Amino acid sequence: MPANSSLYAYLHGQFTPLDRAFLHVSDLAVQRGYGVFDFFKVHAGQPLFLEAYLDRFYRSAQLLELAVPLARPALRAVIEELIERNRLPLSGVKLLLTGGYSANGYEPGAPNLVVTEQPLALPTPAQVAAGIRLITYDYVRELPAAKSINYVTGIRLLQQLKARGAGEVLYHHQGVITESPRANFFIVKHDHTVVTPATDVLAGITRQNLLSLPESPYRLTEGLVTLAEVYQAKEAFLTSTTKRVLPVVQIDDVVLGTGQPGPVTRALLQALLGLEAHQSRPAAAPVG
Amino acid sequence: MPANSSLYAYLHGQFTPLDRAFLHVSDLAVQRGYGVFDFFKVHAGQPLFLEAYLDRFYRSAQLLELAVPLARPALRAVIEELIERNRLPLSGVKLLLTGGYSANGYEPGAPNLVVTEQPLALPTPAQVAAGIRLITYDYVRELPAAKSINYVTGIRLLQQLKARGAGEVLYHHQGVITESPRANFFIVKHDHTVVTPATDVLAGITRQNLLSLPESPYRLTEGLVTLAEVYQAKEAFLTSTTKRVLPVVQIDDVVLGTGQPGPVTRALLQALLGLEAHQSRPAAAPVG
């Protein structure tokens, strides 16, 4: 059994020690990989951008025709109690909704809602300074708008990533870039415009936070991004809840720009940290 | 909890009542839909075509870089003991291999092997006589050669199927037919040749049994099958372990042939039943 035994989870309508959080094998996540989830950060007891994550969670559930068994105020109360019970200084909370216990192994039953919380490690200053290398792979996620639990392709490629010294995959389809398995992707062009793929991507909350920055010195837009443009980019970075703004320094065999995190990427990370600090009642830990 | 409480399952290296067969929520099937499975019929204690199913199960595991924790003779012994304990007259045995308990919710741990057995209902003569209606949908399964647990698209379409009075989906990509979510697909052309899509399909055992029929009055081949050909077909049918050879009588709004199961389909069902009876020591129940 994994997991810190002092932590609680929420499952089957009640709080239970995480190490005793089990689902029957008839659950449609186990039988057919059928479920959706979401994941947000909690700093010193305070969830960051919670409403945006809840919006997306309910939207994903609807796209898979699954009813969330708790209305939003009740789900918010569960999250609050879980945070209160676990008292972690910095954590990630995962909301998981499965197709439920299926009588015939194919048709959904009453969805199972599982809420877990675990300590979170954010990129260290050294990791931000080193940046990340990506390898490209032709694949479009099924139903990209939904945060479904299907990560078959991303996980199957882990050994290839290791063998090639890369940290993550960048998906494209016939040369048109979409996203990484667990992050959105941006490039900084030579005119300093910052572009992220517009279609066939998950609506990342960090991505949206950057696109909506109230005072940005750079023009951030959604648009078409091709593989050719990526190789020519001045800078590139990933965004996600756990990666924040993570510089990309190499894609396939192409070193980007100087091979070091660039000034636009670093400025946008600082802007995101400012937003996060504004959400956290106690100031968020500085990084980078 | 679902499931017949008198049945056993095999899980975590031991036999356990099926209603107590649980996986921790950290399992990578639950977290990321990562796993493979296989499923075969057991008639009166005798698994049918077992070696072909085991071949495919180990191949699927390899395609997802998962090690089956039991070598083939040990897995065969588990299956035999499970059948002996449960003593079902007609059943399906499911072999399921997940990415295991994951420390970080993404990287595979030691795979969990779950073997379950449940009573099976095969198509009744009335169901065979009525045939099935399909609706078409543009989608290619990810990694079609592996029997992964990912059925997001097939399950998400269930409500649409119901609304349109159809029994199953038929996948195509840009007009080229592949398969159904849980069955292979064949058409009978007007020259009485019988064709099943050659590529981007699961290597169905029933499909292969038909293609390898020792004495067939019909020419069965793998090849390209287009949506246009499907609408023009004289007959069509699905094949799977549980569906055997199931006549398709309508696709989208197009009634095939006479709208009744045709003679080629019926003859091939009889041929399959003959093969099954040959595998079963006691004779298989006749159908159709």
Side-chain angles (χ1 to χ4, degrees), chain B:
Chain B
M1 203 83 352
N4 186 325
S5 64
S6 67
L7 291 175
Y8 280 89
Y10 176 88
L11 173 70
H12 305 317
Q14 57 191 24
F15 292 91
T16 185
L18 176 56
D19 58 6
R20 282 187 260 153
F22 287 88
L23 288 171
H24 190 258
V25 297
S26 67
D27 189 277
L28 216 52
V30 176
Q31 294 289 318
R32 303 287 177 173
Y34 203 77
V36 295
F37 74 107
D38 224 301
F39 182 84
F40 55 86
K41 282 193 297 249
V42 179
H43 280 189
Q46 188 65 24
L48 303 192
F49 313 110
L50 178 61
E51 298 309 314
Y53 288 96
L54 292 179
D55 285 347
R56 188 173 64 182
F57 181 62
Y58 282 90
R59 199 161 64 236
S60 294
Q62 196 172 28
L63 284 167
L64 263 71
E65 315 246 16
L66 295 174
V68 183
L70 294 182
R72 199 154 161 150
L75 178 55
R76 226 184 265 118
V78 163
I79 292 166
E80 277 169 27
E81 182 169 345
L82 189 67
I83 292 170
E84 178 61 26
R85 281 173 179 251
N86 288 333
R87 297 194 162 277
L88 292 167
L90 173 62
S91 70
V93 168
K94 187 163 190 170
L95 312 173
L96 173 69
L97 186 71
T98 74
Y101 294 162
S102 172
N104 63 6
Y106 199 69
E107 287 175 69
N112 281 314
L113 174 66
V114 184
V115 188
T116 53
E117 183 185 21
Q118 297 205 275
L120 187 66
L122 293 168
T124 61
Q127 287 171 322
V128 171
I132 189 172
R133 293 171 180 202
L134 307 180
I135 57 174
T136 58
Y137 190 81
D138 191 322
Y139 170 66
V140 181
R141 280 202 314 123
E142 213 169 317
L143 208 63
K147 201 167 169 72
S148 89
I149 62 171
N150 173 25
Y151 283 75
V152 170
T153 296
I155 293 175
R156 197 173 52 85
L157 293 173
L158 283 175
Q159 299 197 13
Q160 193 179 322
L161 286 178
K162 242 172 238 175
R164 293 177 61 184
E168 195 44 282
V169 181
L170 177 62
Y171 292 140
H172 69 93
H173 183 51
Q174 299 177 348
V176 175
I177 304 292
T178 53
E179 61 190 355
S180 270
R182 295 183 290 171
N184 291 112
F185 177 77
F186 288 74
I187 58 169
V188 181
K189 296 188 168 185
H190 284 269
D191 64 3
H192 281 189
T193 56
V194 184
V195 189
T196 188
T199 55
D200 286 337
V201 299
L202 184 76
I205 308 302
T206 307
R207 171 183 183 274
Q208 190 55 51
N209 282 337
L210 287 191
L211 288 171
S212 314
L213 275 176
E215 302 167 0
S216 175
Y218 307 104
R219 203 166 73 84
L220 283 85
T221 57
E222 301 175 272
L224 179 75
V225 177
T226 66
L227 198 48
E229 288 173 309
V230 164
Y231 291 143
Q232 299 290 326
K234 199 166 180 188
E235 303 177 26
F237 56 90
L238 297 177
T239 62
S240 81
T241 301
T242 52
K243 293 185 176 69
R244 286 176 163 153
V245 172
L246 187 64
V248 174
V249 294
Q250 183 173 332
I251 297 176
D252 295 328
D253 297 325
V254 178
V255 174
L256 296 191
T258 63
Q260 304 290 326
V264 177
T265 302
R266 283 187 276 117
L268 291 170
L269 172 56
Q270 289 308 317
L272 178 71
L273 293 174
L275 277 185
E276 289 190 1
H278 190 258
Q279 281 266 317
S280 269
R281 274 187 226 112
V287 159

Side-chain angles (χ1 to χ4, degrees), chain A:
Chain A
M1 207 80 355
N4 185 326
S5 63
S6 67
L7 291 175
Y8 280 89
Y10 175 89
L11 172 71
H12 305 316
Q14 56 191 27
F15 292 91
T16 184
L18 176 56
D19 59 5
R20 283 186 259 153
F22 287 89
L23 288 172
H24 190 258
V25 296
S26 66
D27 190 278
L28 216 53
V30 176
Q31 294 290 318
R32 303 288 177 171
Y34 203 77
V36 296
F37 74 107
D38 224 302
F39 182 85
F40 55 87
K41 281 194 298 250
V42 179
H43 280 187
Q46 186 67 23
L48 303 192
F49 313 109
L50 178 61
E51 299 308 314
Y53 288 97
L54 292 179
D55 285 347
R56 188 172 65 181
F57 181 60
Y58 281 90
R59 199 162 61 236
S60 294
Q62 196 173 26
L63 284 167
L64 264 72
E65 316 245 14
L66 295 174
V68 182
L70 294 181
R72 199 150 160 154
L75 178 54
R76 226 184 264 118
V78 163
I79 292 165
E80 277 168 27
E81 181 169 346
L82 189 68
I83 292 170
E84 179 61 27
R85 281 173 179 251
N86 288 333
R87 297 195 161 275
L88 291 166
L90 173 63
S91 70
V93 168
K94 187 164 190 169
L95 311 173
L96 173 69
L97 185 71
T98 74
Y101 294 162
S102 172
N104 63 6
Y106 198 67
E107 288 175 69
N112 281 313
L113 174 67
V114 184
V115 188
T116 52
E117 183 185 20
Q118 298 205 273
L120 187 67
L122 293 168
T124 62
Q127 286 170 324
V128 172
I132 189 172
R133 294 172 178 201
L134 307 180
I135 58 173
T136 59
Y137 190 80
D138 190 323
Y139 171 66
V140 181
R141 279 201 315 122
E142 213 168 316
L143 208 63
K147 201 166 169 72
S148 89
I149 62 172
N150 173 25
Y151 284 75
V152 170
T153 296
I155 293 175
R156 197 172 52 86
L157 293 172
L158 284 173
Q159 299 199 11
Q160 192 180 324
L161 285 178
K162 243 173 237 173
R164 294 177 61 184
E168 195 42 282
V169 181
L170 176 62
Y171 292 139
H172 69 94
H173 183 53
Q174 299 179 349
V176 175
I177 303 294
T178 53
E179 60 191 355
S180 271
R182 295 183 289 171
N184 291 112
F185 177 77
F186 288 74
I187 58 169
V188 181
K189 296 188 167 187
H190 285 268
D191 63 3
H192 280 192
T193 57
V194 185
V195 189
T196 188
T199 56
D200 287 338
V201 299
L202 184 75
I205 308 301
T206 308
R207 171 183 184 274
Q208 189 55 51
N209 282 338
L210 287 191
L211 288 172
S212 315
L213 275 177
E215 302 168 358
S216 174
Y218 307 104
R219 202 167 74 86
L220 283 85
T221 58
E222 302 176 89
L224 179 76
V225 177
T226 67
L227 197 49
E229 288 172 310
V230 165
Y231 292 143
Q232 298 291 325
K234 200 165 179 190
E235 304 177 25
F237 57 88
L238 296 178
T239 62
S240 80
T241 302
T242 52
K243 292 185 177 71
R244 285 175 162 158
V245 172
L246 189 63
V248 173
V249 295
Q250 183 174 331
I251 296 176
D252 296 327
D253 296 325
V254 178
V255 173
L256 295 192
T258 61
Q260 304 291 325
V264 177
T265 302
R266 283 188 276 117
L268 290 171
L269 172 57
Q270 289 309 315
L272 178 70
L273 293 174
L275 278 185
E276 290 190 0
H278 189 259
Q279 282 267 315
S280 270
R281 272 187 228 113
V287 157

